[in-house]
Amino acid sequence: MGSFGEGNVTNHGGIPIVNFAAWNDRSPQEEKQKIASQLVHACQTIGFVYIVNHRIPREKVQEGFDWSKRLFDLKQEEKELAPHPPGHVVHRGYSWPELEKVSNSMGNEDDPELATRLRRVSDIKESYEIGSDNYPDQPNVWLPEHVLPGFREFMTSFYWHSWENAKMILKAMAVGIGLDDEDYFLRYHSGHENQLRLLHYPPVPAAAIEEGSMTRMDAHSDWGSITMLFQDDCGGLQIGDPNKPSQFMDAKPLEDAIVLNVGDLLQRWSNDTLKSSLHRVTLPPRQDRLTGNEKLTRARYSIPYFVGPIGTSMIETIPTCVDEKHPAKYEPINWDDYRLMRGSMQYESKETTAA
């Protein structure tokens, strides 16, 4: 075990770019190995990577953003016809600004005081969560069809189109990490447990972000296997700088690229070979991203696609990530148990609300 080969990798603002143009079922194994090694090297060192020449057409992504804007432009009472269920167990439907509080707390649903402290600074964003219609543990909460005709049909298609792209990345990850079976990770993932999230960060005074009375999204890591992010051209996403602890670097928008990051579960699964990095959403990096005399931030839209394994999966250290010098650091863990633990601080429980 050790560092995987970097190869000839370009970067954008210090974040590697990996080109998947040559990855397909007919590609020579040497070509696939080259792409896979570049991917894993980026995930080892920084935990984030731009994926270009992926399998989701530009037009499909743009249509996704168009639908997202139409959704968030609805009247508030219309959006609330598909409300996020109370608590943290089911993560579907519409969340209005300040309902969810993202943090990097590992979570303890029996600690309402911690939840209250975390909520002293509000997240100013709204979101809509979508999953598979064949996942009874996380039933979708759809808007009535007449409110936004065609929305459900498109988002269902976009969800599964994104899964096809995620399967390609999971295959490359398996090859890059030294597994003989490129379907290793796919045997733990069905596609039904994933989550498509539409995010809107409305304009807020830049001063409120700077002084810390509001946040767009606090520093956190993702819980699952991988996350694929589609972002608009506004900017504001930052990731932990691997060379400067406690500092952040901009993940600048790159046209037609997916921003891929490793989740906490995959870091654990890989015995810390792959890195799940902190990231946050803050002010856009350039002053011309602010509007008006009040210096309001520009509205930002993004679409993350979170990939997680089958709920009953027991996640044990990947064989190629263990040797005499690198013994397994983690006990096997059930994905459903881990997911619920990590989510317990994001949404207020009845007890916290009552307090």
Side-chain angles (χ1 to χ4, degrees):
M1 198 184 89
S3 180
F4 297 86
E6 179 179 4
N8 186 21
V9 182
T10 57
N11 73 82
H12 180 63
I15 300 173
I17 302 171
V18 175
N19 189 342
F20 266 77
W23 183 285
N24 58 65
D25 292 338
R26 300 178 300 280
S27 299
Q29 191 59 33
E30 315 86 74
E31 191 66 37
K32 294 172 80 172
Q33 182 65 60
K34 177 183 175 183
I35 295 169
S37 296
Q38 291 174 353
L39 174 67
V40 167
H41 180 80
C43 292
Q44 267 192 314
T45 54
I46 194 168
F48 272 76
V49 58
Y50 294 102
I51 304 293
V52 297
N53 288 310
H54 49 81
R55 299 299 180 264
I56 305 179
R58 173 189 294 184
E59 297 76 16
K60 189 88 170 176
V61 175
Q62 185 56 56
E63 192 174 355
F65 279 107
D66 291 344
W67 277 109
S68 180
K69 189 172 188 308
R70 274 179 254 168
L71 167 71
F72 293 119
D73 281 348
L74 292 173
K75 296 176 182 177
Q76 189 64 27
E77 58 267 27
E78 292 177 314
K79 291 182 281 191
E80 291 180 11
L81 292 172
H84 187 288
H88 68 277
V89 176
V90 176
H91 203 34
R92 295 290 184 264
Y94 173 69
S95 296
W96 48 92
E98 302 186 45
L99 177 65
E100 181 196 38
K101 178 61 186 177
V102 173
S103 75
N104 213 40
S105 170
M106 293 301 286
N108 180 353
E109 59 187 310
D110 298 321
D111 188 354
E113 290 185 8
L114 175 58
T116 299
R117 289 198 302 274
L118 290 171
R119 289 179 172 275
R120 285 175 183 161
V121 179
S122 300
D123 284 2
I124 307 302
K125 66 182 189 307
E126 55 183 342
S127 65
Y128 191 96
E129 324 296 335
I130 299 163
S132 166
D133 277 327
N134 295 309
Y135 184 28
D137 290 349
Q138 295 281 315
N140 277 318
V141 182
W142 291 107
L143 286 169
E145 181 65 17
H146 72 271
V147 173
L148 195 57
F151 174 76
R152 178 174 182 171
E153 179 181 6
F154 175 83
M155 286 301 163
T156 299
S157 169
F158 193 75
Y159 176 97
W160 288 111
H161 212 127
S162 297
W163 169 234
E164 289 302 311
N165 194 74
K167 288 197 291 185
M168 174 186 71
I169 293 170
L170 288 172
K171 286 186 175 188
M173 202 76 78
V175 172
I177 210 164
L179 291 162
D180 292 331
D181 179 10
E182 72 173 32
D183 290 335
Y184 179 89
F185 291 119
L186 293 185
R187 290 191 277 109
Y188 291 86
H189 296 79
S190 71
H192 292 292
E193 292 76 15
N194 303 337
Q195 178 183 320
L196 177 67
R197 174 173 236 208
L198 309 179
L199 271 165
H200 171 225
Y201 300 85
V204 295
I209 304 294
E210 291 168 338
E211 69 188 16
S213 61
M214 293 180 180
T215 62
R216 295 195 118 176
M217 189 180 291
D218 267 342
H220 65 284
S221 55
D222 295 342
W223 316 332
S225 300
I226 59 172
T227 303
M228 302 188 307
L229 175 73
F230 308 90
Q231 60 174 337
D232 67 8
D233 65 352
C234 178
L237 175 65
Q238 295 184 326
I239 68 172
D241 190 324
N243 301 312
K244 298 176 182 176
S246 77
Q247 295 190 35
F248 286 79
M249 54 193 288
D250 293 324
K252 300 174 183 177
L254 179 63
E255 189 175 9
D256 295 335
I258 289 173
V259 182
L260 176 82
N261 67 280
V262 173
D264 293 341
L265 188 74
L266 187 54
Q267 175 171 318
R268 181 187 182 108
W269 209 342
S270 69
N271 208 32
D272 291 347
T273 300
L274 306 176
K275 182 177 182 178
S276 177
S277 295
L278 287 176
H279 50 287
R280 66 186 184 184
V281 178
T282 183
L283 290 175
R286 287 170 26 203
Q287 289 305 305
D288 63 3
R289 299 301 190 190
L290 308 180
T291 61
N293 293 330
E294 295 181 343
K295 294 293 184 183
L296 295 177
T297 60
R298 231 183 73 190
R300 180 180 188 269
Y301 295 86
S302 66
I303 306 176
Y305 185 80
F306 303 100
V307 177
I310 298 164
T312 55
S313 298
M314 289 300 296
I315 303 303
E316 302 183 54
T317 306
I318 299 165
T320 56
C321 296
V322 178
D323 58 27
E324 288 185 6
K325 294 182 179 179
H326 305 88
K329 298 179 181 180
Y330 302 103
E331 295 295 322
I333 192 170
N334 172 267
W335 167 238
D336 265 348
D337 292 343
Y338 184 72
R339 175 181 61 81
L340 290 171
M341 180 269 290
R342 290 299 306 271
S344 63
M345 286 293 153
Q346 284 198 211
Y347 285 85
E348 290 183 299
S349 65
K350 293 179 180 177
E351 292 78 9
T352 305
T353 304

